[in-house]
Amino acid sequence: MLSADELALLEAIRESGSLSRAAARLGKAPSTVSHAARQLEARFDALLFDRRRYRLQLTPAGHLLAQEAARLMLDVSRLTQRVKQVAGGWEDRLWIVTDEILEFETLLPVIRAFDGLKSGVTLRITHEVLTGTWDALRDGRADLVVGATNEPPVIPGLRWFELGVMDWVFAVSPRHPLAKAREPVERAAVLQHRAVVVADTSRRVDVRGYGVLGGQPSLAVPSMRAKIHAQCEGLGVGWLPRDRVAGLLKRGDLVEKQMADPREPNLLYVAWRGDHQGRALEWWLAQLQNKRLASRLVEGIDVAALG
């Protein structure tokens, strides 16, 4: 590892191309700089400076040493900052997993506010679907989960609070056969048509489909927004978040159907493991307990407004 003075010497010679100018830049006598250069070469047992030309230049070995030393110095500086950061109660990294049912765009103002803290914490935000969201917390692939559905499972140290309630509507394309079905629509009628579902990302083999009736054919899609578009195209049927499709229902792109077996609203949860709680996690938890933000996350973005 090079000292700061040795690194400064390499940079001064590389940029000035002259022993005297490098010495003036460093505020040292040329003889002192020359001696330091020879000591550096002796230390690495390599020719680092090309003295054969009018300009004093770094050899390829000298260039490599300068570049790698600068990188290492930067790494040490960053490591020092991270150590101070963690010693101050901030995490090195915060991994947030949202259920796909929440839209990333609604989190952008929160991320911007977090950046304003200049904490140095690296954020990693990914998403899972249904049981996969809880699995991420259980398996250590998340420090915080947002928008998880279904009842909280048994996880050591689990802590949670309710984010909000999501209402659902059974909606179909006006071109779909169920659009003209007699209401309330019975289970037997729904079974005759393909359901559009967002695929559960759980790795467990015992995962069950959500919103799919036994024996019903299904089309699994990657996101709720994809599910909405698929149902607008008449590719299948299913339950959709009411707030996300309000505009589509209003302009007739989707038709709401009254069902003989209505779907209960879903509670969405925020959850974390209480055994590792740093300042970044505490900040995010405080934001998510704000009722206005929670409502904005649960309501999401009306697809019709996206054009």
Side-chain angles (χ1 to χ4, degrees), residues 174-209:
R175 303 185 300 276
H176 193 277
L178 275 187
K180 296 180 171 59
R182 179 180 301 176
E183 297 177 321
V185 180
E186 298 288 342
R187 175 190 179 97
V190 177
L191 273 171
Q192 298 175 30
H193 302 280
R194 183 168 65 178
V196 181
V197 299
V198 183
D200 195 315
T201 55
S202 175
R203 279 71 167 174
R204 296 187 306 165
V205 297
D206 60 342
V207 172
R208 293 181 298 173

mmCIF file of all heavy atoms in Angstrom, residues 174-209:
data_model
loop_
_atom_site.group_PDB
_atom_site.id
_atom_site.type_symbol
_atom_site.label_atom_id
_atom_site.label_comp_id
_atom_site.label_asym_id
_atom_site.label_seq_id
_atom_site.Cartn_x
_atom_site.Cartn_y
_atom_site.Cartn_z
ATOM 1 N N PRO A 174 -65.341 -5.350 -22.329
ATOM 2 C CA PRO A 174 -66.703 -5.346 -22.865
ATOM 3 C C PRO A 174 -66.886 -6.342 -24.008
ATOM 4 O O PRO A 174 -68.016 -6.702 -24.344
ATOM 5 C CB PRO A 174 -66.891 -3.899 -23.334
ATOM 6 C CG PRO A 174 -65.514 -3.342 -23.491
ATOM 7 C CD PRO A 174 -64.678 -4.038 -22.467
ATOM 8 N N ARG A 175 -65.780 -6.829 -24.575
ATOM 9 C CA ARG A 175 -65.839 -7.808 -25.659
ATOM 10 C C ARG A 175 -65.833 -9.247 -25.140
ATOM 11 O O ARG A 175 -65.985 -10.180 -25.900
ATOM 12 C CB ARG A 175 -64.658 -7.606 -26.616
ATOM 13 C CG ARG A 175 -64.581 -6.216 -27.215
ATOM 14 C CD ARG A 175 -63.462 -6.104 -28.242
ATOM 15 N NE ARG A 175 -62.151 -6.385 -27.671
ATOM 16 C CZ ARG A 175 -61.406 -5.497 -27.023
ATOM 17 N NH1 ARG A 175 -61.870 -4.260 -26.834
ATOM 18 N NH2 ARG A 175 -60.218 -5.824 -26.559
ATOM 19 N N HIS A 176 -65.596 -9.402 -23.838
ATOM 20 C CA HIS A 176 -65.517 -10.743 -23.263
ATOM 21 C C HIS A 176 -66.927 -11.307 -23.049
ATOM 22 O O HIS A 176 -67.855 -10.548 -22.715
ATOM 23 C CB HIS A 176 -64.771 -10.702 -21.928
ATOM 24 C CG HIS A 176 -64.366 -12.047 -21.428
ATOM 25 N ND1 HIS A 176 -65.224 -12.879 -20.732
ATOM 26 C CD2 HIS A 176 -63.191 -12.728 -21.531
ATOM 27 C CE1 HIS A 176 -64.602 -13.987 -20.432
ATOM 28 N NE2 HIS A 176 -63.360 -13.940 -20.891
ATOM 29 N N PRO A 177 -67.121 -12.616 -23.238
ATOM 30 C CA PRO A 177 -68.451 -13.212 -23.052
ATOM 31 C C PRO A 177 -69.076 -12.930 -21.682
ATOM 32 O O PRO A 177 -70.295 -12.788 -21.575
ATOM 33 C CB PRO A 177 -68.188 -14.715 -23.240
ATOM 34 C CG PRO A 177 -66.980 -14.769 -24.126
ATOM 35 C CD PRO A 177 -66.139 -13.600 -23.744
ATOM 36 N N LEU A 178 -68.243 -12.821 -20.627
ATOM 37 C CA LEU A 178 -68.799 -12.574 -19.295
ATOM 38 C C LEU A 178 -69.364 -11.161 -19.137
ATOM 39 O O LEU A 178 -70.088 -10.888 -18.178
ATOM 40 C CB LEU A 178 -67.738 -12.820 -18.213
ATOM 41 C CG LEU A 178 -67.545 -14.257 -17.727
ATOM 42 C CD1 LEU A 178 -66.576 -14.288 -16.546
ATOM 43 C CD2 LEU A 178 -68.872 -14.887 -17.329
ATOM 44 N N ALA A 179 -69.035 -10.276 -20.072
ATOM 45 C CA ALA A 179 -69.537 -8.903 -19.969
ATOM 46 C C ALA A 179 -71.065 -8.868 -20.002
ATOM 47 O O ALA A 179 -71.686 -7.979 -19.404
ATOM 48 C CB ALA A 179 -68.957 -8.043 -21.099
ATOM 49 N N LYS A 180 -71.672 -9.821 -20.689
ATOM 50 C CA LYS A 180 -73.129 -9.857 -20.812
ATOM 51 C C LYS A 180 -73.779 -10.931 -19.916
ATOM 52 O O LYS A 180 -74.971 -11.195 -20.023
ATOM 53 C CB LYS A 180 -73.523 -10.096 -22.268
ATOM 54 C CG LYS A 180 -73.112 -8.975 -23.211
ATOM 55 C CD LYS A 180 -73.524 -9.284 -24.638
ATOM 56 C CE LYS A 180 -73.312 -8.090 -25.556
ATOM 57 N NZ LYS A 180 -71.916 -7.632 -25.583
ATOM 58 N N ALA A 181 -72.971 -11.516 -19.036
ATOM 59 C CA ALA A 181 -73.497 -12.565 -18.165
ATOM 60 C C ALA A 181 -74.474 -11.980 -17.146
ATOM 61 O O ALA A 181 -74.317 -10.844 -16.684
ATOM 62 C CB ALA A 181 -72.350 -13.267 -17.452
ATOM 63 N N ARG A 182 -75.473 -12.776 -16.797
ATOM 64 C CA ARG A 182 -76.475 -12.349 -15.808
ATOM 65 C C ARG A 182 -75.800 -12.204 -14.437
ATOM 66 O O ARG A 182 -74.956 -12.996 -14.044
ATOM 67 C CB ARG A 182 -77.596 -13.381 -15.723
ATOM 68 C CG ARG A 182 -78.676 -13.042 -14.705
ATOM 69 C CD ARG A 182 -79.743 -14.108 -14.670
ATOM 70 N NE ARG A 182 -80.374 -14.262 -15.979
ATOM 71 C CZ ARG A 182 -81.291 -15.177 -16.254
ATOM 72 N NH1 ARG A 182 -81.646 -16.065 -15.300
ATOM 73 N NH2 ARG A 182 -81.836 -15.248 -17.452
ATOM 74 N N GLU A 183 -76.203 -11.163 -13.687
ATOM 75 C CA GLU A 183 -75.629 -10.897 -12.366
ATOM 76 C C GLU A 183 -76.611 -11.297 -11.267
ATOM 77 O O GLU A 183 -77.829 -11.208 -11.466
ATOM 78 C CB GLU A 183 -75.259 -9.419 -12.243
ATOM 79 C CG GLU A 183 -74.174 -8.990 -13.233
ATOM 80 C CD GLU A 183 -73.855 -7.498 -13.146
ATOM 81 O OE1 GLU A 183 -74.810 -6.702 -12.974
ATOM 82 O OE2 GLU A 183 -72.681 -7.141 -13.249
ATOM 83 N N PRO A 184 -76.085 -11.693 -10.118
ATOM 84 C CA PRO A 184 -74.658 -11.879 -9.832
ATOM 85 C C PRO A 184 -74.087 -13.084 -10.577
ATOM 86 O O PRO A 184 -74.764 -14.105 -10.732
ATOM 87 C CB PRO A 184 -74.624 -12.091 -8.319
ATOM 88 C CG PRO A 184 -75.957 -12.675 -8.000
ATOM 89 C CD PRO A 184 -76.919 -12.032 -8.945
ATOM 90 N N VAL A 185 -72.845 -12.955 -11.020
ATOM 91 C CA VAL A 185 -72.203 -14.005 -11.801
ATOM 92 C C VAL A 185 -71.828 -15.154 -10.867
ATOM 93 O O VAL A 185 -71.167 -14.965 -9.840
ATOM 94 C CB VAL A 185 -70.953 -13.477 -12.522
ATOM 95 C CG1 VAL A 185 -70.303 -14.592 -13.342
ATOM 96 C CG2 VAL A 185 -71.309 -12.299 -13.416
ATOM 97 N N GLU A 186 -72.233 -16.345 -11.235
ATOM 98 C CA GLU A 186 -71.981 -17.517 -10.413
ATOM 99 C C GLU A 186 -70.597 -18.101 -10.693
ATOM 100 O O GLU A 186 -70.001 -17.894 -11.751
ATOM 101 C CB GLU A 186 -73.044 -18.599 -10.677
ATOM 102 C CG GLU A 186 -74.464 -18.187 -10.339
ATOM 103 C CD GLU A 186 -74.695 -18.097 -8.833
ATOM 104 O OE1 GLU A 186 -73.869 -18.674 -8.071
ATOM 105 O OE2 GLU A 186 -75.681 -17.449 -8.426
ATOM 106 N N ARG A 187 -70.108 -18.837 -9.711
ATOM 107 C CA ARG A 187 -68.799 -19.493 -9.810
ATOM 108 C C ARG A 187 -68.710 -20.387 -11.041
ATOM 109 O O ARG A 187 -67.700 -20.399 -11.740
ATOM 110 C CB ARG A 187 -68.582 -20.316 -8.534
ATOM 111 C CG ARG A 187 -67.320 -21.161 -8.520
ATOM 112 C CD ARG A 187 -67.359 -22.113 -7.323
ATOM 113 N NE ARG A 187 -66.182 -22.959 -7.288
ATOM 114 C CZ ARG A 187 -65.095 -22.734 -6.562
ATOM 115 N NH1 ARG A 187 -65.046 -21.655 -5.795
ATOM 116 N NH2 ARG A 187 -64.089 -23.573 -6.585
ATOM 117 N N ALA A 188 -69.777 -21.113 -11.350
ATOM 118 C CA ALA A 188 -69.766 -22.028 -12.492
ATOM 119 C C ALA A 188 -69.532 -21.287 -13.798
ATOM 120 O O ALA A 188 -68.858 -21.792 -14.705
ATOM 121 C CB ALA A 188 -71.079 -22.804 -12.545
ATOM 122 N N ALA A 189 -70.079 -20.072 -13.907
ATOM 123 C CA ALA A 189 -69.884 -19.286 -15.132
ATOM 124 C C ALA A 189 -68.439 -18.822 -15.257
ATOM 125 O O ALA A 189 -67.858 -18.831 -16.354
ATOM 126 C CB ALA A 189 -70.832 -18.095 -15.130
ATOM 127 N N VAL A 190 -67.838 -18.441 -14.130
ATOM 128 C CA VAL A 190 -66.444 -17.969 -14.147
ATOM 129 C C VAL A 190 -65.499 -19.107 -14.527
ATOM 130 O O VAL A 190 -64.520 -18.917 -15.248
ATOM 131 C CB VAL A 190 -66.060 -17.377 -12.773
ATOM 132 C CG1 VAL A 190 -64.587 -16.948 -12.770
ATOM 133 C CG2 VAL A 190 -66.949 -16.191 -12.442
ATOM 134 N N LEU A 191 -65.796 -20.312 -14.051
ATOM 135 C CA LEU A 191 -64.943 -21.467 -14.312
ATOM 136 C C LEU A 191 -64.774 -21.769 -15.796
ATOM 137 O O LEU A 191 -63.801 -22.401 -16.199
ATOM 138 C CB LEU A 191 -65.520 -22.701 -13.617
ATOM 139 C CG LEU A 191 -65.116 -22.932 -12.158
ATOM 140 C CD1 LEU A 191 -65.941 -24.056 -11.548
ATOM 141 C CD2 LEU A 191 -63.630 -23.243 -12.064
ATOM 142 N N GLN A 192 -65.697 -21.324 -16.601
ATOM 143 C CA GLN A 192 -65.640 -21.608 -18.032
ATOM 144 C C GLN A 192 -64.656 -20.713 -18.776
ATOM 145 O O GLN A 192 -64.411 -20.911 -19.960
ATOM 146 C CB GLN A 192 -67.032 -21.436 -18.639
ATOM 147 C CG GLN A 192 -68.079 -22.389 -18.064
ATOM 148 C CD GLN A 192 -69.462 -22.100 -18.600
ATOM 149 O OE1 GLN A 192 -69.617 -21.629 -19.728
ATOM 150 N NE2 GLN A 192 -70.477 -22.367 -17.792
ATOM 151 N N HIS A 193 -64.096 -19.739 -18.074
ATOM 152 C CA HIS A 193 -63.227 -18.764 -18.744
ATOM 153 C C HIS A 193 -61.854 -18.694 -18.063
ATOM 154 O O HIS A 193 -61.725 -18.940 -16.869
ATOM 155 C CB HIS A 193 -63.887 -17.389 -18.738
ATOM 156 C CG HIS A 193 -65.227 -17.372 -19.404
ATOM 157 N ND1 HIS A 193 -65.385 -17.320 -20.766
ATOM 158 C CD2 HIS A 193 -66.479 -17.452 -18.869
ATOM 159 C CE1 HIS A 193 -66.667 -17.347 -21.063
ATOM 160 N NE2 HIS A 193 -67.356 -17.423 -19.930
ATOM 161 N N ARG A 194 -60.860 -18.345 -18.849
ATOM 162 C CA ARG A 194 -59.496 -18.274 -18.332
ATOM 163 C C ARG A 194 -59.320 -17.098 -17.369
ATOM 164 O O ARG A 194 -59.785 -15.990 -17.623
ATOM 165 C CB ARG A 194 -58.524 -18.122 -19.508
ATOM 166 C CG ARG A 194 -57.060 -18.105 -19.074
ATOM 167 C CD ARG A 194 -56.122 -18.242 -20.256
ATOM 168 N NE ARG A 194 -56.194 -17.116 -21.165
ATOM 169 C CZ ARG A 194 -55.432 -16.981 -22.263
ATOM 170 N NH1 ARG A 194 -54.578 -17.947 -22.582
ATOM 171 N NH2 ARG A 194 -55.560 -15.942 -23.046
ATOM 172 N N ALA A 195 -58.625 -17.355 -16.275
ATOM 173 C CA ALA A 195 -58.292 -16.298 -15.324
ATOM 174 C C ALA A 195 -56.918 -15.724 -15.661
ATOM 175 O O ALA A 195 -56.015 -16.450 -16.101
ATOM 176 C CB ALA A 195 -58.277 -16.857 -13.904
ATOM 177 N N VAL A 196 -56.755 -14.430 -15.468
ATOM 178 C CA VAL A 196 -55.441 -13.789 -15.590
ATOM 179 C C VAL A 196 -54.909 -13.588 -14.175
ATOM 180 O O VAL A 196 -55.597 -13.011 -13.323
ATOM 181 C CB VAL A 196 -55.520 -12.446 -16.328
ATOM 182 C CG1 VAL A 196 -54.118 -11.843 -16.456
ATOM 183 C CG2 VAL A 196 -56.144 -12.623 -17.704
ATOM 184 N N VAL A 197 -53.702 -14.092 -13.906
ATOM 185 C CA VAL A 197 -53.134 -14.005 -12.563
ATOM 186 C C VAL A 197 -51.707 -13.472 -12.634
ATOM 187 O O VAL A 197 -51.017 -13.637 -13.648
ATOM 188 C CB VAL A 197 -53.133 -15.378 -11.860
ATOM 189 C CG1 VAL A 197 -54.548 -15.904 -11.702
ATOM 190 C CG2 VAL A 197 -52.284 -16.387 -12.628
ATOM 191 N N VAL A 198 -51.281 -12.818 -11.553
ATOM 192 C CA VAL A 198 -49.885 -12.425 -11.412
ATOM 193 C C VAL A 198 -49.181 -13.579 -10.715
ATOM 194 O O VAL A 198 -49.581 -14.008 -9.628
ATOM 195 C CB VAL A 198 -49.746 -11.129 -10.596
ATOM 196 C CG1 VAL A 198 -48.281 -10.709 -10.527
ATOM 197 C CG2 VAL A 198 -50.580 -10.016 -11.214
ATOM 198 N N ALA A 199 -48.152 -14.109 -11.346
ATOM 199 C CA ALA A 199 -47.503 -15.324 -10.854
ATOM 200 C C ALA A 199 -46.820 -15.096 -9.516
ATOM 201 O O ALA A 199 -46.062 -14.145 -9.341
ATOM 202 C CB ALA A 199 -46.478 -15.813 -11.877
ATOM 203 N N ASP A 200 -47.119 -15.993 -8.563
ATOM 204 C CA ASP A 200 -46.469 -15.976 -7.246
ATOM 205 C C ASP A 200 -44.987 -16.291 -7.424
ATOM 206 O O ASP A 200 -44.621 -17.213 -8.146
ATOM 207 C CB ASP A 200 -47.133 -17.021 -6.342
ATOM 208 C CG ASP A 200 -46.792 -16.846 -4.866
ATOM 209 O OD1 ASP A 200 -45.610 -16.629 -4.560
ATOM 210 O OD2 ASP A 200 -47.717 -16.927 -4.041
ATOM 211 N N THR A 201 -44.113 -15.510 -6.749
ATOM 212 C CA THR A 201 -42.669 -15.709 -6.911
ATOM 213 C C THR A 201 -42.060 -16.567 -5.815
ATOM 214 O O THR A 201 -40.839 -16.686 -5.728
ATOM 215 C CB THR A 201 -41.935 -14.358 -6.945
ATOM 216 O OG1 THR A 201 -42.269 -13.610 -5.764
ATOM 217 C CG2 THR A 201 -42.306 -13.575 -8.183
ATOM 218 N N SER A 202 -42.881 -17.159 -4.956
ATOM 219 C CA SER A 202 -42.340 -18.020 -3.907
ATOM 220 C C SER A 202 -41.612 -19.210 -4.525
ATOM 221 O O SER A 202 -42.026 -19.750 -5.549
ATOM 222 C CB SER A 202 -43.462 -18.518 -2.991
ATOM 223 O OG SER A 202 -42.944 -19.442 -2.044
ATOM 224 N N ARG A 203 -40.509 -19.618 -3.880
ATOM 225 C CA ARG A 203 -39.750 -20.782 -4.339
ATOM 226 C C ARG A 203 -40.306 -22.085 -3.770
ATOM 227 O O ARG A 203 -39.849 -23.163 -4.124
ATOM 228 C CB ARG A 203 -38.282 -20.675 -3.904
ATOM 229 C CG ARG A 203 -37.391 -19.793 -4.790
ATOM 230 C CD ARG A 203 -37.692 -18.339 -4.668
ATOM 231 N NE ARG A 203 -36.638 -17.522 -5.273
ATOM 232 C CZ ARG A 203 -36.720 -16.207 -5.408
ATOM 233 N NH1 ARG A 203 -37.813 -15.564 -5.012
ATOM 234 N NH2 ARG A 203 -35.737 -15.532 -5.952
ATOM 235 N N ARG A 204 -41.271 -21.981 -2.879
ATOM 236 C CA ARG A 204 -41.800 -23.187 -2.244
ATOM 237 C C ARG A 204 -42.676 -23.961 -3.224
ATOM 238 O O ARG A 204 -43.339 -23.391 -4.081
ATOM 239 C CB ARG A 204 -42.619 -22.816 -1.003
ATOM 240 C CG ARG A 204 -41.785 -22.146 0.090
ATOM 241 C CD ARG A 204 -42.589 -21.964 1.348
ATOM 242 N NE ARG A 204 -43.830 -21.254 1.072
ATOM 243 C CZ ARG A 204 -44.853 -21.210 1.914
ATOM 244 N NH1 ARG A 204 -44.784 -21.853 3.058
ATOM 245 N NH2 ARG A 204 -45.943 -20.528 1.628
ATOM 246 N N VAL A 205 -42.704 -25.274 -3.034
ATOM 247 C CA VAL A 205 -43.451 -26.122 -3.968
ATOM 248 C C VAL A 205 -44.927 -26.189 -3.617
ATOM 249 O O VAL A 205 -45.739 -26.652 -4.418
ATOM 250 C CB VAL A 205 -42.872 -27.565 -3.985
ATOM 251 C CG1 VAL A 205 -41.450 -27.555 -4.493
ATOM 252 C CG2 VAL A 205 -42.937 -28.186 -2.587
ATOM 253 N N ASP A 206 -45.305 -25.712 -2.409
ATOM 254 C CA ASP A 206 -46.696 -25.819 -1.988
ATOM 255 C C ASP A 206 -47.496 -24.547 -2.226
ATOM 256 O O ASP A 206 -48.552 -24.346 -1.655
ATOM 257 C CB ASP A 206 -46.777 -26.183 -0.499
ATOM 258 C CG ASP A 206 -46.109 -25.136 0.400
ATOM 259 O OD1 ASP A 206 -45.311 -24.342 -0.128
ATOM 260 O OD2 ASP A 206 -46.392 -25.121 1.608
ATOM 261 N N VAL A 207 -46.963 -23.665 -3.081
ATOM 262 C CA VAL A 207 -47.651 -22.413 -3.367
ATOM 263 C C VAL A 207 -48.942 -22.681 -4.124
ATOM 264 O O VAL A 207 -48.971 -23.452 -5.079
ATOM 265 C CB VAL A 207 -46.742 -21.474 -4.199
ATOM 266 C CG1 VAL A 207 -47.524 -20.254 -4.661
ATOM 267 C CG2 VAL A 207 -45.542 -21.039 -3.367
ATOM 268 N N ARG A 208 -49.997 -22.021 -3.713
ATOM 269 C CA ARG A 208 -51.277 -22.164 -4.401
ATOM 270 C C ARG A 208 -51.583 -20.888 -5.191
ATOM 271 O O ARG A 208 -51.194 -19.804 -4.809
ATOM 272 C CB ARG A 208 -52.390 -22.409 -3.378
ATOM 273 C CG ARG A 208 -52.267 -23.746 -2.656
ATOM 274 C CD ARG A 208 -53.413 -23.938 -1.687
ATOM 275 N NE ARG A 208 -53.401 -22.907 -0.651
ATOM 276 C CZ ARG A 208 -54.376 -22.762 0.250
ATOM 277 N NH1 ARG A 208 -55.433 -23.550 0.227
ATOM 278 N NH2 ARG A 208 -54.290 -21.817 1.164
ATOM 279 N N GLY A 209 -52.291 -21.056 -6.285
ATOM 280 C CA GLY A 209 -52.697 -19.889 -7.057
ATOM 281 C C GLY A 209 -53.649 -19.018 -6.269
ATOM 282 O O GLY A 209 -54.447 -19.503 -5.466
#
